[in-house]
Amino acid sequence: MNGKSSLLAAVLLVAGCGAFDGTPATMSGAWPSACARPSVPAGAETPIATPGYVQYAAVAGRAVWVALREGLLAKLDPFCGTATKTVSVVTELWPTLPYGSRASFGALVSDGADTLWALAEVVDQVGDVTQSVVVRVDTVAAAMTARLVLPPIGYTRISGSLAANGAHVWLADAATEGTIGRLDPRTAAVVGSVTTPERAQGTNQEIGAAPDGAVWVANGPHAVRVLDPDGRTRTDVALPGADIGNASILPLGSAAWIGGGPAQRVSATDYTVTAVGAARLDSLTPGSRGVWGAVNSPEHAIVHVGADGGVVATYPVTGQTASLAATGDDVWRVGFDGVLYHLAG
């Protein structure tokens, strides 16, 4: 490991915050909105007008939050799309951007409660990321409460991967060479690091944070490795016939979901593998009765997978999906066009 491969991660220690089991509170009928929930059949999607170009969506504190390319994190009225709270991330981090540069976000995740973690970036004229900062946002106060500046590493930095679950938040920086780490958000001190499998290094790898503190990472194209927080290998799980390169990984209470083609369900107790009856699923997100994922090629669809790994429903959509968020029977889809869509589940 050389100096270029330094990497930071965050572990959020929240008093009284239990592990997130992937079953968020139902928003439908409970979350106040100035607009009525669209009265449409299951699978119908409705574009939601938002205050900017949407890059990511997440649910925190029973509210829909979006990361806007304009440099804002915004809490939305879920069905109107108007911003009820905003956090001016880029203005606080970089009051003046370098000439020709623009703001962007590389990731947005919820810890399953009231905290968001985002990767804010500065992108230059040719599209390279020149600066990156991980920020912690208290959604109740609508304020940044911690930040982690990622140091220069001597060559172009590209977006990393964030994963959060209850009291555990991890960051993998895609331009580094095989380490993820943990940070105490109260002091910004790095308290540990984990080395990822050699066969996964050099890739824009995804990571998944489990409720018990373990981190799930790819171990080559046909396996995943489960690591304890101290870096010890808990187990390796073979995924025969699957290609999980850059695949979405979502560990929940009883199982972990791997989005590679085909998608897989892995038991969190005995690590048995069940193939999900669906193609590659991107942007995996927990729902009240299983998980949701996006099919981006060759067709475009949103798939609801039940807790047993069976496909509950497949809903065609109008284009590719960049990000998903869900709660209850409501799904919010961010298209590659920067538009937020509501999908009735």
Side-chain angles (χ1 to χ4, degrees):
M1 198 71 60
N2 57 40
K4 293 181 179 179
S5 62
S6 61
L7 170 64
L8 300 177
V11 171
L12 174 60
L13 306 177
V14 183
C17 179
F20 178 43
D21 66 359
T23 310
T26 299
M27 183 182 295
S28 302
W31 182 253
S33 174
C35 299
R37 182 178 185 270
S39 179
V40 294
E45 65 173 359
T46 305
I48 304 294
T50 58
Y53 185 103
V54 182
Q55 293 184 287
Y56 295 95
V59 172
R62 297 191 305 113
V64 178
W65 285 76
V66 293
L68 303 176
R69 194 167 60 184
E70 290 75 10
L72 299 174
L73 294 180
K75 177 184 177 181
L76 299 182
D77 179 305
F79 304 125
C80 296
T82 51
T84 59
K85 291 183 179 180
T86 58
V87 182
S88 300
V89 173
V90 169
T91 301
E92 291 189 42
L93 295 176
W94 303 290
T96 303
L97 292 175
Y99 176 78
S101 295
R102 61 174 175 84
S104 186
F105 286 96
L108 176 70
V109 297
S110 167
D111 72 343
D114 295 322
T115 300
L116 289 172
W117 286 86
L119 182 61
E121 301 172 334
V122 174
V123 180
D124 66 15
Q125 298 178 70
V126 298
D128 291 334
V129 176
T130 58
Q131 299 181 61
S132 299
V133 179
V134 176
V135 297
R136 176 184 183 272
V137 173
D138 180 332
T139 62
V140 176
M144 286 195 296
T145 55
R147 65 186 68 178
L148 171 63
V149 178
L150 299 182
I153 54 177
Y155 53 93
T156 301
R157 178 184 296 280
I158 57 179
S159 296
S161 175
L162 280 167
N165 200 322
H168 310 283
V169 178
W170 297 85
L171 167 70
D173 188 2
T176 61
E177 299 176 359
T179 60
I180 56 179
R182 298 183 291 135
L183 182 82
D184 183 337
R186 297 166 299 182
T187 64
V190 176
V191 296
S193 63
V194 172
T195 300
T196 57
E198 183 177 354
R199 284 181 292 177
Q201 296 177 15
T203 67
N204 185 9
Q205 77 170 2
E206 295 290 331
I207 56 176
D212 63 357
V215 59
W216 292 59
V217 299
N219 185 11
H222 311 301
V224 290
R225 175 166 292 178
V226 185
L227 297 165
D228 286 323
D230 61 7
R232 290 179 295 181
T233 297
R234 183 178 297 180
T235 190
D236 286 304
V237 182
L239 303 171
D243 182 357
I244 63 168
N246 299 332
S248 181
I249 301 175
L250 180 65
L252 298 177
S254 60
W257 303 85
I258 316 297
Q264 310 278 327
R265 178 191 184 275
V266 181
S267 168
T269 54
D270 60 11
Y271 302 106
T272 56
V273 178
T274 303
V276 174
R280 176 186 176 95
L281 294 178
D282 296 314
S283 303
L284 290 171
T285 194
S288 60
R289 295 183 298 275
V291 299
W292 296 83
V295 177
N296 281 330
S297 178
E299 64 275 347
H300 305 142
I302 301 301
V303 179
H304 181 198
V305 180
D308 61 355
V311 173
V312 176
T314 300
Y315 302 123
V317 293
T318 54
Q320 290 186 313
T321 298
S323 175
L324 281 179
T327 185
D329 294 324
D330 296 296
V331 181
W332 283 267
R333 182 180 78 85
V334 178
F336 273 54
D337 53 4
V339 175
L340 180 71
Y341 299 87
H342 169 260
L343 182 78

